[in-house]
Amino acid sequence: MREGQITSSIMKECMVKVSDNGVISSRNSSFLGKVLCYREHIETKDMKWGNSMENRAIAEYKNFQSRCHDSFKVEKCGLFISQETPFIAGAPYATVSCKCCLNGVLEANNLFPARYLSISDYVKLKNPCLNLNGSDVRLIKCRDYYAQVQVEIY
């Protein structure tokens, strides 16, 4: 049950709700409702498309990573609840492992506006969540997805 938990998908909102000097932002007026799960489930056309593409994206990721990792595995998982802080939880798409690296988590977000773009074209859009430096692709730290993945790693 996620009711009353700060899950990875809303962590960024939690981080910006109260400033360093303790001032509460008026942004995110439905924030408490999100934490307490008061709002109804919303699914837009863009979200449906993204969800429908997850398995394909994961298969392509697994195929790509298998070429450079020994015994690369992707295993679907559920909700992880922090034992130290049980009000924090995250539900990555899967866990990943191989014989040559540390274990990790996999988050799959297929962005509808970028559905026909390569990564190199996507990063040229206004406000992308990725940064590309040569072949090195990284999440931009100030974006919501970065906070989400940090919670899932935690």
Side-chain angles (χ1 to χ4, degrees):
M1 167 108 20
R2 297 177 189 195
E3 186 175 303
Q5 290 179 315
I6 299 171
T7 56
S8 57
S9 60
I10 63 169
M11 180 54 78
K12 176 70 174 184
E13 289 180 80
C14 296
M15 293 167 54
V16 299
K17 190 66 180 167
V18 180
S19 69
D20 291 339
N21 61 2
V23 175
I24 298 174
S25 169
S26 61
R27 277 182 56 207
N28 309 318
S29 59
S30 62
F31 175 75
L32 185 58
K34 285 181 181 180
V35 173
L36 298 176
C37 297
Y38 287 160
R39 50 176 226 180
E40 62 186 78
H41 178 72
I42 298 170
E43 188 171 62
T44 66
K45 174 185 77 167
D46 294 4
M47 293 167 71
K48 285 180 184 177
W49 180 86
N51 290 337
S52 74
M53 296 304 292
E54 280 184 355
N55 289 334
R56 179 179 171 192
I58 299 308
E60 289 185 26
Y61 173 79
K62 184 177 180 182
N63 182 42
F64 179 80
Q65 294 297 336
S66 294
R67 291 184 227 149
C68 52
H69 291 276
D70 184 18
S71 302
F72 187 76
K73 292 181 188 174
V74 174
E75 297 181 56
K76 283 193 108 173
C77 60
L79 182 69
F80 290 95
I81 300 171
S82 169
Q83 291 182 0
E84 297 170 8
T85 51
F87 56 89
I88 295 178
Y93 182 85
T95 57
V96 295
S97 63
C98 65
K99 290 183 178 179
C100 52
C101 301
L102 296 173
N103 294 341
V105 297
L106 174 61
E107 182 59 50
N109 287 302
N110 295 289
L111 306 174
F112 188 77
R115 65 192 176 279
Y116 300 121
L117 300 177
S118 65
I119 291 175
S120 58
D121 289 335
Y122 168 73
V123 298
K124 295 174 188 170
L125 295 177
K126 182 179 180 184
N127 296 320
C129 64
L130 298 174
N131 184 20
L132 181 63
N133 186 4
S135 63
D136 186 36
V137 181
R138 295 188 184 256
L139 278 170
I140 295 174
K141 290 184 180 182
C142 63
R143 298 303 303 264
D144 295 357
Y145 295 127
Y146 186 82
Q148 179 178 354
V149 172
Q150 291 302 306
V151 170
E152 292 168 355
I153 291 170
Y154 173 74

mmCIF file of all heavy atoms in Angstrom, residues 82-129:
data_model
loop_
_atom_site.group_PDB
_atom_site.id
_atom_site.type_symbol
_atom_site.label_atom_id
_atom_site.label_comp_id
_atom_site.label_asym_id
_atom_site.label_seq_id
_atom_site.Cartn_x
_atom_site.Cartn_y
_atom_site.Cartn_z
ATOM 1 N N SER A 82 11.689 1.517 2.328
ATOM 2 C CA SER A 82 12.887 1.716 3.131
ATOM 3 C C SER A 82 12.661 1.182 4.545
ATOM 4 O O SER A 82 11.672 1.513 5.193
ATOM 5 C CB SER A 82 13.237 3.205 3.198
ATOM 6 O OG SER A 82 14.243 3.434 4.157
ATOM 7 N N GLN A 83 13.578 0.346 5.018
ATOM 8 C CA GLN A 83 13.475 -0.169 6.386
ATOM 9 C C GLN A 83 13.801 0.914 7.407
ATOM 10 O O GLN A 83 13.231 0.942 8.496
ATOM 11 C CB GLN A 83 14.400 -1.372 6.575
ATOM 12 C CG GLN A 83 13.936 -2.576 5.799
ATOM 13 C CD GLN A 83 14.828 -3.785 6.015
ATOM 14 O OE1 GLN A 83 15.811 -3.750 6.738
ATOM 15 N NE2 GLN A 83 14.472 -4.888 5.370
ATOM 16 N N GLU A 84 14.714 1.807 7.060
ATOM 17 C CA GLU A 84 15.101 2.884 7.967
ATOM 18 C C GLU A 84 14.053 3.987 8.021
ATOM 19 O O GLU A 84 13.831 4.589 9.070
ATOM 20 C CB GLU A 84 16.450 3.473 7.541
ATOM 21 C CG GLU A 84 17.596 2.504 7.615
ATOM 22 C CD GLU A 84 18.855 3.057 6.964
ATOM 23 O OE1 GLU A 84 18.891 4.242 6.591
ATOM 24 O OE2 GLU A 84 19.819 2.282 6.831
ATOM 25 N N THR A 85 13.461 4.297 6.873
ATOM 26 C CA THR A 85 12.452 5.358 6.780
ATOM 27 C C THR A 85 11.257 4.812 5.998
ATOM 28 O O THR A 85 11.145 5.046 4.796
ATOM 29 C CB THR A 85 13.039 6.598 6.076
ATOM 30 O OG1 THR A 85 13.655 6.190 4.847
ATOM 31 C CG2 THR A 85 14.062 7.306 6.945
ATOM 32 N N PRO A 86 10.359 4.063 6.663
ATOM 33 C CA PRO A 86 9.285 3.364 5.948
ATOM 34 C C PRO A 86 8.262 4.269 5.266
ATOM 35 O O PRO A 86 7.405 3.775 4.544
ATOM 36 C CB PRO A 86 8.636 2.503 7.033
ATOM 37 C CG PRO A 86 9.090 3.054 8.313
ATOM 38 C CD PRO A 86 10.377 3.767 8.080
ATOM 39 N N PHE A 87 8.357 5.571 5.455
ATOM 40 C CA PHE A 87 7.461 6.469 4.730
ATOM 41 C C PHE A 87 8.019 6.807 3.347
ATOM 42 O O PHE A 87 7.386 7.511 2.571
ATOM 43 C CB PHE A 87 7.205 7.759 5.525
ATOM 44 C CG PHE A 87 8.460 8.512 5.893
ATOM 45 C CD1 PHE A 87 8.985 9.462 5.033
ATOM 46 C CD2 PHE A 87 9.103 8.253 7.090
ATOM 47 C CE1 PHE A 87 10.147 10.145 5.355
ATOM 48 C CE2 PHE A 87 10.265 8.942 7.424
ATOM 49 C CZ PHE A 87 10.783 9.881 6.552
ATOM 50 N N ILE A 88 9.196 6.257 3.013
ATOM 51 C CA ILE A 88 9.792 6.452 1.693
ATOM 52 C C ILE A 88 9.799 5.110 0.964
ATOM 53 O O ILE A 88 10.213 4.088 1.523
ATOM 54 C CB ILE A 88 11.230 7.013 1.801
ATOM 55 C CG1 ILE A 88 11.186 8.413 2.410
ATOM 56 C CG2 ILE A 88 11.900 7.030 0.430
ATOM 57 C CD1 ILE A 88 12.539 9.036 2.601
ATOM 58 N N ALA A 89 9.327 5.129 -0.279
ATOM 59 C CA ALA A 89 9.248 3.898 -1.063
ATOM 60 C C ALA A 89 9.515 4.195 -2.530
ATOM 61 O O ALA A 89 9.342 5.318 -2.979
ATOM 62 C CB ALA A 89 7.869 3.267 -0.896
ATOM 63 N N GLY A 90 9.907 3.172 -3.260
ATOM 64 C CA GLY A 90 10.132 3.313 -4.687
ATOM 65 C C GLY A 90 9.791 2.021 -5.413
ATOM 66 O O GLY A 90 9.945 0.935 -4.856
ATOM 67 N N ALA A 91 9.323 2.149 -6.627
ATOM 68 C CA ALA A 91 8.958 0.976 -7.429
ATOM 69 C C ALA A 91 9.597 1.087 -8.814
ATOM 70 O O ALA A 91 8.957 1.508 -9.767
ATOM 71 C CB ALA A 91 7.446 0.856 -7.545
ATOM 72 N N PRO A 92 10.875 0.725 -8.930
ATOM 73 C CA PRO A 92 11.487 0.748 -10.252
ATOM 74 C C PRO A 92 10.839 -0.299 -11.144
ATOM 75 O O PRO A 92 10.161 -1.213 -10.659
ATOM 76 C CB PRO A 92 12.952 0.403 -9.975
ATOM 77 C CG PRO A 92 12.931 -0.345 -8.691
ATOM 78 C CD PRO A 92 11.771 0.206 -7.909
ATOM 79 N N TYR A 93 11.046 -0.195 -12.432
ATOM 80 C CA TYR A 93 10.497 -1.171 -13.363
ATOM 81 C C TYR A 93 11.108 -2.546 -13.095
ATOM 82 O O TYR A 93 10.422 -3.557 -13.110
ATOM 83 C CB TYR A 93 10.765 -0.745 -14.804
ATOM 84 C CG TYR A 93 10.174 -1.720 -15.795
ATOM 85 C CD1 TYR A 93 8.844 -1.618 -16.176
ATOM 86 C CD2 TYR A 93 10.945 -2.753 -16.313
ATOM 87 C CE1 TYR A 93 8.289 -2.534 -17.059
ATOM 88 C CE2 TYR A 93 10.397 -3.660 -17.193
ATOM 89 C CZ TYR A 93 9.068 -3.550 -17.567
ATOM 90 O OH TYR A 93 8.525 -4.460 -18.430
ATOM 91 N N ALA A 94 12.428 -2.566 -12.857
ATOM 92 C CA ALA A 94 13.125 -3.844 -12.672
ATOM 93 C C ALA A 94 14.441 -3.613 -11.936
ATOM 94 O O ALA A 94 14.896 -2.486 -11.789
ATOM 95 C CB ALA A 94 13.405 -4.486 -14.035
ATOM 96 N N THR A 95 15.025 -4.714 -11.495
ATOM 97 C CA THR A 95 16.401 -4.674 -11.007
ATOM 98 C C THR A 95 17.273 -5.249 -12.121
ATOM 99 O O THR A 95 16.817 -6.060 -12.932
ATOM 100 C CB THR A 95 16.576 -5.510 -9.716
ATOM 101 O OG1 THR A 95 16.180 -6.848 -9.959
ATOM 102 C CG2 THR A 95 15.780 -4.910 -8.577
ATOM 103 N N VAL A 96 18.523 -4.808 -12.164
ATOM 104 C CA VAL A 96 19.467 -5.308 -13.166
ATOM 105 C C VAL A 96 20.706 -5.838 -12.460
ATOM 106 O O VAL A 96 21.083 -5.347 -11.390
ATOM 107 C CB VAL A 96 19.855 -4.219 -14.201
ATOM 108 C CG1 VAL A 96 18.649 -3.812 -15.023
ATOM 109 C CG2 VAL A 96 20.470 -3.012 -13.535
ATOM 110 N N SER A 97 21.303 -6.855 -13.047
ATOM 111 C CA SER A 97 22.515 -7.428 -12.472
ATOM 112 C C SER A 97 23.350 -8.074 -13.569
ATOM 113 O O SER A 97 22.846 -8.395 -14.647
ATOM 114 C CB SER A 97 22.160 -8.470 -11.400
ATOM 115 O OG SER A 97 21.447 -9.546 -11.990
ATOM 116 N N CYS A 98 24.623 -8.226 -13.275
ATOM 117 C CA CYS A 98 25.544 -8.942 -14.156
ATOM 118 C C CYS A 98 26.712 -9.391 -13.289
ATOM 119 O O CYS A 98 26.803 -9.030 -12.116
ATOM 120 C CB CYS A 98 26.009 -8.058 -15.306
ATOM 121 S SG CYS A 98 27.000 -6.652 -14.798
ATOM 122 N N LYS A 99 27.608 -10.164 -13.867
ATOM 123 C CA LYS A 99 28.757 -10.654 -13.109
ATOM 124 C C LYS A 99 29.882 -9.629 -13.016
ATOM 125 O O LYS A 99 30.774 -9.767 -12.192
ATOM 126 C CB LYS A 99 29.290 -11.940 -13.739
ATOM 127 C CG LYS A 99 28.360 -13.117 -13.562
ATOM 128 C CD LYS A 99 28.962 -14.382 -14.132
ATOM 129 C CE LYS A 99 28.039 -15.565 -13.913
ATOM 130 N NZ LYS A 99 28.595 -16.795 -14.485
ATOM 131 N N CYS A 100 29.830 -8.578 -13.844
ATOM 132 C CA CYS A 100 30.951 -7.642 -13.911
ATOM 133 C C CYS A 100 30.707 -6.307 -13.200
ATOM 134 O O CYS A 100 31.632 -5.528 -13.027
ATOM 135 C CB CYS A 100 31.346 -7.397 -15.365
ATOM 136 S SG CYS A 100 29.990 -6.922 -16.445
ATOM 137 N N CYS A 101 29.473 -6.021 -12.765
ATOM 138 C CA CYS A 101 29.160 -4.728 -12.145
ATOM 139 C C CYS A 101 28.305 -4.924 -10.896
ATOM 140 O O CYS A 101 27.831 -6.022 -10.619
ATOM 141 C CB CYS A 101 28.377 -3.836 -13.114
ATOM 142 S SG CYS A 101 29.235 -3.474 -14.653
ATOM 143 N N LEU A 102 28.076 -3.834 -10.188
ATOM 144 C CA LEU A 102 27.157 -3.863 -9.052
ATOM 145 C C LEU A 102 25.719 -3.972 -9.552
ATOM 146 O O LEU A 102 25.411 -3.628 -10.688
ATOM 147 C CB LEU A 102 27.311 -2.579 -8.227
ATOM 148 C CG LEU A 102 28.666 -2.362 -7.561
ATOM 149 C CD1 LEU A 102 28.715 -0.968 -6.932
ATOM 150 C CD2 LEU A 102 28.918 -3.432 -6.512
ATOM 151 N N ASN A 103 24.827 -4.445 -8.691
ATOM 152 C CA ASN A 103 23.410 -4.505 -9.040
ATOM 153 C C ASN A 103 22.852 -3.091 -9.156
ATOM 154 O O ASN A 103 23.382 -2.151 -8.577
ATOM 155 C CB ASN A 103 22.635 -5.277 -7.977
ATOM 156 C CG ASN A 103 23.036 -6.737 -7.924
ATOM 157 O OD1 ASN A 103 23.619 -7.265 -8.858
ATOM 158 N ND2 ASN A 103 22.709 -7.396 -6.832
ATOM 159 N N GLY A 104 21.762 -2.963 -9.895
ATOM 160 C CA GLY A 104 21.160 -1.647 -10.077
ATOM 161 C C GLY A 104 19.656 -1.744 -10.258
ATOM 162 O O GLY A 104 19.069 -2.822 -10.177
ATOM 163 N N VAL A 105 19.051 -0.597 -10.506
ATOM 164 C CA VAL A 105 17.622 -0.531 -10.780
ATOM 165 C C VAL A 105 17.417 0.030 -12.186
ATOM 166 O O VAL A 105 18.262 0.735 -12.715
ATOM 167 C CB VAL A 105 16.857 0.333 -9.752
ATOM 168 C CG1 VAL A 105 16.954 -0.264 -8.361
ATOM 169 C CG2 VAL A 105 17.335 1.774 -9.751
ATOM 170 N N LEU A 106 16.278 -0.313 -12.760
ATOM 171 C CA LEU A 106 15.939 0.138 -14.102
ATOM 172 C C LEU A 106 14.601 0.858 -14.048
ATOM 173 O O LEU A 106 13.619 0.313 -13.548
ATOM 174 C CB LEU A 106 15.855 -1.061 -15.051
ATOM 175 C CG LEU A 106 15.378 -0.792 -16.469
ATOM 176 C CD1 LEU A 106 16.307 0.178 -17.180
ATOM 177 C CD2 LEU A 106 15.294 -2.096 -17.239
ATOM 178 N N GLU A 107 14.580 2.073 -14.525
ATOM 179 C CA GLU A 107 13.350 2.855 -14.627
ATOM 180 C C GLU A 107 13.121 3.127 -16.101
ATOM 181 O O GLU A 107 14.016 3.595 -16.788
ATOM 182 C CB GLU A 107 13.473 4.169 -13.847
ATOM 183 C CG GLU A 107 12.237 5.015 -13.867
ATOM 184 C CD GLU A 107 11.015 4.326 -13.294
ATOM 185 O OE1 GLU A 107 11.098 3.771 -12.182
ATOM 186 O OE2 GLU A 107 9.969 4.330 -13.969
ATOM 187 N N ALA A 108 11.943 2.806 -16.591
ATOM 188 C CA ALA A 108 11.626 3.001 -18.009
ATOM 189 C C ALA A 108 10.553 4.069 -18.147
ATOM 190 O O ALA A 108 9.441 3.886 -17.677
ATOM 191 C CB ALA A 108 11.135 1.694 -18.625
ATOM 192 N N ASN A 109 10.904 5.174 -18.753
ATOM 193 C CA ASN A 109 9.941 6.239 -19.051
ATOM 194 C C ASN A 109 10.038 6.545 -20.533
ATOM 195 O O ASN A 109 11.067 6.995 -21.014
ATOM 196 C CB ASN A 109 10.241 7.499 -18.234
ATOM 197 C CG ASN A 109 9.888 7.327 -16.790
ATOM 198 O OD1 ASN A 109 8.744 7.043 -16.460
ATOM 199 N ND2 ASN A 109 10.862 7.476 -15.907
ATOM 200 N N ASN A 110 8.962 6.266 -21.229
ATOM 201 C CA ASN A 110 8.894 6.535 -22.663
ATOM 202 C C ASN A 110 8.103 7.813 -22.854
ATOM 203 O O ASN A 110 6.902 7.842 -22.592
ATOM 204 C CB ASN A 110 8.205 5.368 -23.382
ATOM 205 C CG ASN A 110 9.018 4.103 -23.280
ATOM 206 O OD1 ASN A 110 10.053 4.000 -23.900
ATOM 207 N ND2 ASN A 110 8.559 3.165 -22.478
ATOM 208 N N LEU A 111 8.756 8.854 -23.281
ATOM 209 C CA LEU A 111 8.125 10.165 -23.401
ATOM 210 C C LEU A 111 7.457 10.318 -24.758
ATOM 211 O O LEU A 111 8.115 10.252 -25.798
ATOM 212 C CB LEU A 111 9.162 11.258 -23.181
ATOM 213 C CG LEU A 111 9.937 11.147 -21.867
ATOM 214 C CD1 LEU A 111 11.032 12.191 -21.808
ATOM 215 C CD2 LEU A 111 9.003 11.275 -20.689
ATOM 216 N N PHE A 112 6.149 10.519 -24.757
ATOM 217 C CA PHE A 112 5.363 10.616 -25.989
ATOM 218 C C PHE A 112 5.903 11.678 -26.947
ATOM 219 O O PHE A 112 6.046 11.399 -28.134
ATOM 220 C CB PHE A 112 3.898 10.871 -25.643
ATOM 221 C CG PHE A 112 2.974 10.810 -26.821
ATOM 222 C CD1 PHE A 112 2.595 9.587 -27.358
ATOM 223 C CD2 PHE A 112 2.484 11.966 -27.394
ATOM 224 C CE1 PHE A 112 1.742 9.522 -28.448
ATOM 225 C CE2 PHE A 112 1.625 11.909 -28.483
ATOM 226 C CZ PHE A 112 1.256 10.683 -29.010
ATOM 227 N N PRO A 113 6.243 12.888 -26.476
ATOM 228 C CA PRO A 113 6.745 13.900 -27.416
ATOM 229 C C PRO A 113 8.053 13.492 -28.110
ATOM 230 O O PRO A 113 8.384 14.014 -29.160
ATOM 231 C CB PRO A 113 6.962 15.141 -26.543
ATOM 232 C CG PRO A 113 6.109 14.921 -25.346
ATOM 233 C CD PRO A 113 6.083 13.440 -25.128
ATOM 234 N N ALA A 114 8.777 12.548 -27.518
ATOM 235 C CA ALA A 114 10.064 12.136 -28.077
ATOM 236 C C ALA A 114 9.978 10.785 -28.781
ATOM 237 O O ALA A 114 10.994 10.191 -29.109
ATOM 238 C CB ALA A 114 11.100 12.067 -26.957
ATOM 239 N N ARG A 115 8.778 10.322 -29.062
ATOM 240 C CA ARG A 115 8.586 8.957 -29.560
ATOM 241 C C ARG A 115 9.291 8.647 -30.880
ATOM 242 O O ARG A 115 9.617 7.506 -31.147
ATOM 243 C CB ARG A 115 7.108 8.624 -29.654
ATOM 244 C CG ARG A 115 6.338 9.435 -30.667
ATOM 245 C CD ARG A 115 4.832 9.242 -30.474
ATOM 246 N NE ARG A 115 4.058 10.076 -31.361
ATOM 247 C CZ ARG A 115 3.783 11.357 -31.160
ATOM 248 N NH1 ARG A 115 4.237 11.954 -30.071
ATOM 249 N NH2 ARG A 115 3.063 12.049 -32.017
ATOM 250 N N TYR A 116 9.533 9.646 -31.710
ATOM 251 C CA TYR A 116 10.189 9.404 -33.003
ATOM 252 C C TYR A 116 11.629 9.912 -33.036
ATOM 253 O O TYR A 116 12.252 9.914 -34.093
ATOM 254 C CB TYR A 116 9.398 10.078 -34.139
ATOM 255 C CG TYR A 116 7.979 9.583 -34.255
ATOM 256 C CD1 TYR A 116 6.912 10.453 -34.137
ATOM 257 C CD2 TYR A 116 7.706 8.231 -34.470
ATOM 258 C CE1 TYR A 116 5.607 9.999 -34.242
ATOM 259 C CE2 TYR A 116 6.404 7.769 -34.569
ATOM 260 C CZ TYR A 116 5.363 8.654 -34.463
ATOM 261 O OH TYR A 116 4.081 8.205 -34.562
ATOM 262 N N LEU A 117 12.142 10.341 -31.897
ATOM 263 C CA LEU A 117 13.462 10.969 -31.860
ATOM 264 C C LEU A 117 14.541 10.020 -31.363
ATOM 265 O O LEU A 117 14.298 9.178 -30.500
ATOM 266 C CB LEU A 117 13.434 12.198 -30.942
ATOM 267 C CG LEU A 117 12.467 13.315 -31.303
ATOM 268 C CD1 LEU A 117 12.510 14.408 -30.255
ATOM 269 C CD2 LEU A 117 12.789 13.876 -32.679
ATOM 270 N N SER A 118 15.731 10.208 -31.874
ATOM 271 C CA SER A 118 16.899 9.535 -31.305
ATOM 272 C C SER A 118 17.279 10.294 -30.043
ATOM 273 O O SER A 118 16.815 11.416 -29.798
ATOM 274 C CB SER A 118 18.059 9.581 -32.306
ATOM 275 O OG SER A 118 18.467 10.931 -32.497
ATOM 276 N N ILE A 119 18.146 9.712 -29.233
ATOM 277 C CA ILE A 119 18.586 10.408 -28.016
ATOM 278 C C ILE A 119 19.300 11.709 -28.383
ATOM 279 O O ILE A 119 19.084 12.741 -27.749
ATOM 280 C CB ILE A 119 19.490 9.504 -27.152
ATOM 281 C CG1 ILE A 119 18.648 8.361 -26.568
ATOM 282 C CG2 ILE A 119 20.153 10.295 -26.037
ATOM 283 C CD1 ILE A 119 19.439 7.332 -25.798
ATOM 284 N N SER A 120 20.126 11.670 -29.436
ATOM 285 C CA SER A 120 20.849 12.887 -29.820
ATOM 286 C C SER A 120 19.906 14.000 -30.271
ATOM 287 O O SER A 120 20.187 15.177 -30.064
ATOM 288 C CB SER A 120 21.896 12.588 -30.890
ATOM 289 O OG SER A 120 21.291 12.012 -32.017
ATOM 290 N N ASP A 121 18.766 13.652 -30.869
ATOM 291 C CA ASP A 121 17.780 14.674 -31.236
ATOM 292 C C ASP A 121 16.944 15.089 -30.029
ATOM 293 O O ASP A 121 16.598 16.256 -29.865
ATOM 294 C CB ASP A 121 16.863 14.166 -32.348
ATOM 295 C CG ASP A 121 17.571 14.065 -33.688
ATOM 296 O OD1 ASP A 121 18.563 14.793 -33.889
ATOM 297 O OD2 ASP A 121 17.137 13.254 -34.527
ATOM 298 N N TYR A 122 16.627 14.134 -29.163
ATOM 299 C CA TYR A 122 15.827 14.438 -27.974
ATOM 300 C C TYR A 122 16.505 15.475 -27.073
ATOM 301 O O TYR A 122 15.863 16.394 -26.575
ATOM 302 C CB TYR A 122 15.527 13.156 -27.175
ATOM 303 C CG TYR A 122 14.973 13.458 -25.806
ATOM 304 C CD1 TYR A 122 13.673 13.931 -25.648
ATOM 305 C CD2 TYR A 122 15.766 13.323 -24.669
ATOM 306 C CE1 TYR A 122 13.171 14.245 -24.397
ATOM 307 C CE2 TYR A 122 15.270 13.628 -23.424
ATOM 308 C CZ TYR A 122 13.980 14.089 -23.293
ATOM 309 O OH TYR A 122 13.501 14.418 -22.052
ATOM 310 N N VAL A 123 17.815 15.344 -26.871
ATOM 311 C CA VAL A 123 18.515 16.253 -25.957
ATOM 312 C C VAL A 123 18.542 17.693 -26.468
ATOM 313 O O VAL A 123 18.841 18.610 -25.714
ATOM 314 C CB VAL A 123 19.951 15.778 -25.618
ATOM 315 C CG1 VAL A 123 19.917 14.439 -24.904
ATOM 316 C CG2 VAL A 123 20.829 15.725 -26.854
ATOM 317 N N LYS A 124 18.193 17.899 -27.732
ATOM 318 C CA LYS A 124 18.145 19.254 -28.298
ATOM 319 C C LYS A 124 16.804 19.940 -28.043
ATOM 320 O O LYS A 124 16.670 21.137 -28.275
ATOM 321 C CB LYS A 124 18.399 19.199 -29.808
ATOM 322 C CG LYS A 124 19.796 18.713 -30.149
ATOM 323 C CD LYS A 124 19.942 18.526 -31.645
ATOM 324 C CE LYS A 124 21.278 17.862 -31.968
ATOM 325 N NZ LYS A 124 21.341 17.464 -33.372
ATOM 326 N N LEU A 125 15.801 19.182 -27.568
ATOM 327 C CA LEU A 125 14.495 19.768 -27.258
ATOM 328 C C LEU A 125 14.584 20.704 -26.063
ATOM 329 O O LEU A 125 15.537 20.641 -25.276
ATOM 330 C CB LEU A 125 13.470 18.668 -26.943
ATOM 331 C CG LEU A 125 13.091 17.712 -28.056
ATOM 332 C CD1 LEU A 125 12.133 16.654 -27.526
ATOM 333 C CD2 LEU A 125 12.461 18.458 -29.218
ATOM 334 N N LYS A 126 13.560 21.521 -25.882
ATOM 335 C CA LYS A 126 13.479 22.384 -24.707
ATOM 336 C C LYS A 126 13.214 21.513 -23.481
ATOM 337 O O LYS A 126 12.317 20.681 -23.480
ATOM 338 C CB LYS A 126 12.349 23.396 -24.898
ATOM 339 C CG LYS A 126 12.213 24.371 -23.761
ATOM 340 C CD LYS A 126 11.087 25.348 -24.021
ATOM 341 C CE LYS A 126 10.973 26.311 -22.850
ATOM 342 N NZ LYS A 126 9.843 27.216 -23.029
ATOM 343 N N ASN A 127 13.998 21.664 -22.442
ATOM 344 C CA ASN A 127 13.862 20.955 -21.163
ATOM 345 C C ASN A 127 13.932 19.432 -21.247
ATOM 346 O O ASN A 127 13.071 18.740 -20.707
ATOM 347 C CB ASN A 127 12.558 21.357 -20.465
ATOM 348 C CG ASN A 127 12.540 22.801 -20.082
ATOM 349 O OD1 ASN A 127 13.554 23.344 -19.639
ATOM 350 N ND2 ASN A 127 11.411 23.452 -20.265
ATOM 351 N N PRO A 128 14.961 18.875 -21.860
ATOM 352 C CA PRO A 128 15.077 17.410 -21.858
ATOM 353 C C PRO A 128 15.478 16.917 -20.466
ATOM 354 O O PRO A 128 15.976 17.687 -19.647
ATOM 355 C CB PRO A 128 16.192 17.155 -22.867
ATOM 356 C CG PRO A 128 17.057 18.359 -22.738
ATOM 357 C CD PRO A 128 16.103 19.506 -22.496
ATOM 358 N N CYS A 129 15.265 15.645 -20.182
ATOM 359 C CA CYS A 129 15.681 15.103 -18.883
ATOM 360 C C CYS A 129 17.032 14.401 -18.986
ATOM 361 O O CYS A 129 17.554 13.927 -17.989
ATOM 362 C CB CYS A 129 14.618 14.153 -18.325
ATOM 363 S SG CYS A 129 14.346 12.683 -19.328
#
